[in-house]
Amino acid sequence: MKRFESPVKEIAWPQSDVYRKVSDLSNLRSLADRIPQDQVAQFRVEDLQCTPDSVSCSVQPVGQISIGIVSREPEKCVKMETLQSPVKMTMWIQLVPTGDSSCKMKITVDADLNIFMAKMVEKPLTEAVGRIADMLSMISYDE
């Protein structure tokens, strides 16, 4: 297993608001529209399907990917795993309060990669985890 971690991000929203949004994967539909196309130029996402507990899509040239929530620790952590993917991955979104109206967030991804694959995807996966954390630290949580 290879571990990828985002920097810790400060979020100017209460931990409960952030948790409510990140623990419901149907919220990804509105977030997907906000991703700048230049950041995903080498990938094309099609047929995005979101439910509160899972998300699936076809990513070209990777193939079909499905991710599901396997556990929720209210207001602290959401754990997800790939259900269908070329690579088995587990992802945690961890939240820690820093006050009544702010919290810190960190994303951790464990990917089951052989040594050759790890060398090829280490940089893109590290960047992707960082971009997800950046995006989640900048969005509005009052919806």
Side-chain angles (χ1 to χ4, degrees):
M1 284 291 210
K2 179 76 174 155
R3 179 160 285 183
F4 303 90
E5 296 177 327
S6 75
V8 174
K9 296 292 183 175
E10 186 76 31
I11 301 178
W13 289 90
Q15 179 183 8
S16 58
D17 292 351
V18 176
Y19 176 81
R20 185 174 46 254
K21 189 160 234 174
V22 301
S23 65
D24 180 347
L25 295 181
S26 61
N27 291 318
L28 284 178
R29 175 150 311 280
S30 64
L31 296 178
D33 297 335
R34 298 177 187 180
I35 299 171
Q37 289 305 306
D38 65 327
Q39 292 190 11
V40 291
Q42 69 267 31
F43 300 104
R44 191 172 77 241
V45 177
E46 300 172 339
D47 194 29
L48 181 64
Q49 303 292 319
C50 301
T51 71
D53 297 319
S54 66
V55 62
S56 65
C57 61
S58 177
V59 179
Q60 301 305 325
V62 178
Q64 189 69 25
I65 296 177
S66 296
I67 298 169
I69 293 178
V70 293
S71 68
R72 292 176 176 96
E73 187 176 347
E75 299 192 7
K76 294 181 182 177
C77 184
V78 178
K79 181 180 178 184
M80 295 167 253
E81 289 183 355
T82 51
L83 305 172
Q84 181 179 359
S85 171
V87 175
K88 180 161 177 51
M89 289 192 285
T90 304
M91 180 171 96
W92 295 266
I93 300 175
Q94 300 160 305
L95 302 169
V96 176
T98 56
D100 290 341
S101 61
S102 64
C103 64
K104 289 185 179 180
M105 178 199 59
K106 180 178 178 182
I107 298 174
T108 304
V109 173
D110 281 348
D112 189 10
L113 302 169
N114 65 43
I115 194 157
F116 300 109
M117 184 71 95
K119 295 278 186 207
M120 289 182 357
V121 300
E122 184 170 6
K123 184 178 178 186
L125 266 177
T126 300
E127 290 174 358
V129 170
R131 285 183 184 148
I132 293 168
D134 287 343
M135 181 181 63
L136 290 176
S137 70
M138 293 186 281
I139 64 171
S140 173
Y141 288 93
D142 63 351
E143 300 161 359

